[in-house]
Amino acid sequence: MPKLIFSIEDAVHSWLGAYVASPQWIKSTVGRAYRLLPSELRRGRQYAKYRSELEEGPAVARKVGLQKLGRALRWAIETVPAYSNYSHLCTSIEDDPLAALAQIRTTSKASVKAALDDYVSKALPKGARLATFTGGSTANPMKFFLHKGISRSREYAFMDDFHRRVGLTDSDVVLTLRGRTVPTAVVPGGRLWMYEPIKRHLILSSDHLVPRFMPIYEEVLLSWRPTFIQAFPSALYPLARWLSENPLPSFTSRLRGVQLFSENVYGFQMELFKSVFSCPVLKHYGHSERVLMAASMPDDERYFFWPQYGHFELVDENGQEVTQPGILGEIVGTAYDNDVMPFIRYRTGDLAMLSGEAGHPELPGYPAVNRIEGRLQEFLVCVDSRLISICTMGAAHFDQLALVDEIQYEQRVPGHFDLKVVSRTPLSDSEKRKIEHALAAKTQGGCTATVMQVSAIERTVGGKHRMLVQHLDIDSYLTLGKNEPKPRDADRAG
């Protein structure tokens, strides 16, 4: 039986909120003292193990992944009630874990929420569980468990591997725009930034990214001299637009890399980021459940999935594996290294298309997708029930939107949607009509549109921008995942 593993990171995590909300002098004192601890102590004893796996090199990544897949399947079947009826597969797992995996039905967030206890291993004590909740835009987050002493150490190791792609080290100051609330920003005249010394993050308030506050941010950037940026694309976009109109070469010339997280990034955003920052711009894909992780490379915008992190699948509307490039499928993942709560063939709700190009020479064996379309709900419904990905709409360029700070689609009925626009200059009626006609043409006549200029667009609790607020039930139009059994029966039938 796996033993309990102590981790300082897990032990102090419950104090994170108080630490972040504390005055800057307390953050500076406590954070710098904590940073003096050896890296292996802060990141956990298991960190070195995962770093070692990664340092074996991409050439053996697939082999390591298959070994982990076999172990994850056996552990889940033998110790997790939701998979107990698959015991007949245990004899074949070692010989062909992929064939065994294919016989297990997919599961989803709804399945887990309906019967949480059934998805938790009975072979580990409750003390090994680290209770966590999914974030994002959902108003009803899912509770699940990570593995104390392991899950966070593993995440550090793989994130550090991602950082190495752009040369980011522990000594760099990182400009961070990832929805983190700056406590002093809500006070009139209060500071719009804070510095977190453990990770050396210069955190700007994402709620004040408007022109009148940009001169304040310029002073902060010149003072702290960050060399990397980590951001939500929607939060970085207004800053990049400001810098394109008000160049600050003493800041941008120092940048060595930009890393984008948690949201789809659209073509017009990438073009602006590359133009303004003149350094590699990389995209990252992951989620709270820590089932899969993928990222782009400095010379390749495709997403490459780490084989040592989790097993990647792409399935069609019938649950069958998608092997043809260019075919839209749902991302399904099997997690490794979480013995507390193994996620087996977990439907992420994200859609992607396999790449038809050769793999990256530095990442042999890493599955690649051209793009990740976003979640199932991120589609507009046409009057004829066709679905249009919001990524497709996001790729559209309209001259009238050249100076727009933010946009958001909202749909309540099939065949029509509203486009909310935040702009520093008013749009005339004729400009609105031109955009409406262009949007209708983009849907090939499937939708009409109404452009609405608004003063602000509300963000999620986690600080993310929702490109689409969809009030329609997409499941009634999209057949992906309909083969899944009822939640309480999921994964129990052989």
Side-chain angles (χ1 to χ4, degrees):
M1 177 185 296
K3 59 185 178 181
L4 294 179
I5 300 174
F6 175 76
S7 165
I8 289 181
E9 171 76 13
D10 292 338
V12 303
H13 186 72
S14 60
W15 295 92
L16 178 62
Y19 167 72
V20 172
S22 65
Q24 184 62 54
W25 70 268
I26 292 180
K27 276 196 289 286
S28 299
T29 302
V30 174
R32 284 172 181 151
Y34 186 79
R35 189 176 172 82
L36 291 175
L37 295 174
S39 176
E40 60 271 17
L41 189 57
R42 285 188 284 114
R43 291 186 164 111
R45 286 180 294 172
Q46 297 296 305
Y47 173 81
K49 168 192 168 186
Y50 294 112
R51 285 302 311 157
S52 177
E53 286 181 355
L54 288 163
E55 287 166 2
E56 288 183 11
V60 298
R62 179 171 170 80
K63 178 181 177 182
V64 172
L66 287 175
Q67 291 172 345
K68 287 191 168 190
L69 175 61
R71 184 193 177 281
L73 292 180
R74 183 175 296 278
W75 177 261
I77 291 170
E78 292 179 350
T79 74
V80 179
Y83 306 109
S84 60
N85 282 4
Y86 292 106
S87 58
H88 62 283
L89 297 177
C90 286
T91 56
S92 61
I93 287 175
E94 186 173 345
D95 292 334
D96 194 344
L98 292 176
L101 179 71
Q103 297 182 58
I104 298 177
R105 289 182 176 177
T106 59
T107 191
S108 66
K109 180 180 291 188
S111 307
V112 175
K113 289 178 68 172
L116 176 62
D117 289 345
D118 286 350
Y119 288 88
V120 179
S121 173
K122 303 308 176 186
L124 284 173
K126 290 184 178 180
R129 303 175 186 176
L130 186 65
T132 314
F133 294 85
T134 54
S137 59
T138 176
N140 188 19
M142 179 185 78
K143 180 180 180 179
F144 64 99
F145 297 103
L146 298 177
H147 196 157
K148 281 186 179 179
I150 292 180
S151 295
R152 293 190 186 282
S153 295
R154 182 183 77 139
E155 200 73 3
Y156 270 124
F158 281 87
M159 286 304 301
D160 282 351
D161 201 52
F162 178 42
H163 295 162
R164 289 173 65 181
R165 293 185 182 180
V166 288
L168 173 58
T169 70
D170 283 349
S171 62
D172 288 295
V173 174
V174 181
L175 169 63
T176 306
L177 282 164
R178 297 182 64 181
R180 179 72 61 84
T181 299
V182 176
T184 53
V186 300
V187 180
R191 190 160 54 189
L192 303 180
W193 60 273
M194 63 182 178
Y195 179 68
E196 197 289 291
I198 297 176
K199 295 183 178 180
R200 295 175 66 86
H201 282 180
L202 174 64
I203 302 169
L204 304 186
S205 171
S206 297
D207 300 325
H208 295 77
L209 292 168
V210 293
R212 66 191 177 102
F213 294 113
M214 290 301 180
I216 298 175
Y217 287 144
E218 285 191 355
E219 292 180 12
V220 175
L221 296 175
L222 292 176
S223 175
W224 285 91
R225 299 159 62 88
T227 48
F228 288 89
I229 297 175
Q230 294 182 347
F232 293 162
S234 64
L236 184 59
Y237 186 67
L239 177 61
R241 278 205 42 229
W242 171 265
L243 291 172
S244 71
E245 299 165 1
N246 304 272
L248 195 64
S250 51
F251 160 60
T252 54
S253 64
R254 293 177 52 84
L255 289 173
R256 306 205 310 273
V258 176
Q259 295 175 308
L260 304 174
F261 296 86
S262 301
E263 297 175 340
N264 282 325
V265 55
Y266 301 97
F268 67 91
Q269 294 173 327
M270 284 292 287
E271 290 173 13
L272 181 65
F273 297 156
K274 289 179 179 180
S275 171
V276 170
F277 301 123
S278 300
C279 65
V281 181
L282 273 64
K283 302 174 292 185
H284 176 272
Y285 170 79
H287 28 70
S288 303
E289 298 93 321
R290 291 167 169 79
V291 176
L292 295 167
M293 184 186 286
S296 61
M297 293 287 283
D299 60 346
D300 196 323
E301 289 190 12
R302 291 178 293 172
Y303 289 90
F304 297 89
F305 287 83
W306 274 270
Q308 314 96 315
Y309 189 94
H311 181 73
F312 163 84
E313 296 179 78
L314 202 65
V315 303
D316 63 17
E317 64 271 16
N318 298 312
Q320 300 301 308
E321 183 181 8
V322 173
T323 58
Q324 255 188 307
I327 303 298
L328 191 66
E330 182 176 1
I331 296 174
V332 171
T334 296
Y336 303 151
D337 305 304
N338 183 357
D339 286 346
V340 167
M341 189 172 176
F343 284 92
I344 308 296
R345 301 205 75 202
Y346 181 70
R347 289 172 47 207
T348 65
D350 295 323
L351 305 178
M353 292 182 179
L354 290 174
S355 169
E357 304 170 38
H360 195 282
E362 295 181 24
L363 302 174
Y366 281 50
V369 298
N370 283 333
R371 64 182 187 270
I372 295 176
E373 292 279 5
R375 296 194 171 273
L376 295 176
Q377 66 267 28
E378 293 179 338
F379 285 83
L380 293 167
V381 181
C382 294
V383 69
D384 56 1
S385 296
R386 284 185 295 115
L387 298 181
I388 304 282
S389 167
I390 203 66
C391 288
T392 300
M393 300 302 297
H397 291 271
F398 311 114
D399 293 339
Q400 294 81 9
L401 295 181
L403 296 179
V404 164
D405 293 305
E406 287 185 289
I407 61 174
Q408 184 183 72
Y409 298 83
E410 184 166 12
Q411 186 172 34
R412 298 178 184 276
V413 296
H416 182 83
F417 60 86
D418 297 325
L419 179 69
K420 299 176 183 177
V421 173
V422 177
S423 174
R424 67 190 73 170
T425 56
L427 295 173
S428 67
D429 289 342
S430 63
E431 287 173 327
K432 290 179 182 179
R433 284 195 296 271
K434 287 180 182 178
I435 297 172
E436 290 167 356
H437 292 154
L439 289 169
K442 190 68 177 176
T443 67
Q444 297 181 321
C447 288
T448 57
T450 299
V451 174
M452 305 165 55
Q453 190 158 1
V454 297
S455 60
I457 292 174
E458 185 178 359
R459 292 179 179 266
T460 69
V461 174
K464 297 178 184 178
H465 171 67
R466 295 176 66 186
M467 183 61 84
L468 170 65
V469 178
Q470 181 56 272
H471 298 279
L472 299 176
D473 179 13
I474 292 296
D475 281 342
S476 64
Y477 298 92
L478 194 68
T479 56
L480 278 173
K482 281 192 173 181
N483 68 311
E484 189 188 49
K486 295 297 182 181
R488 299 200 67 89
D489 295 329
D491 302 320
R492 301 185 72 102

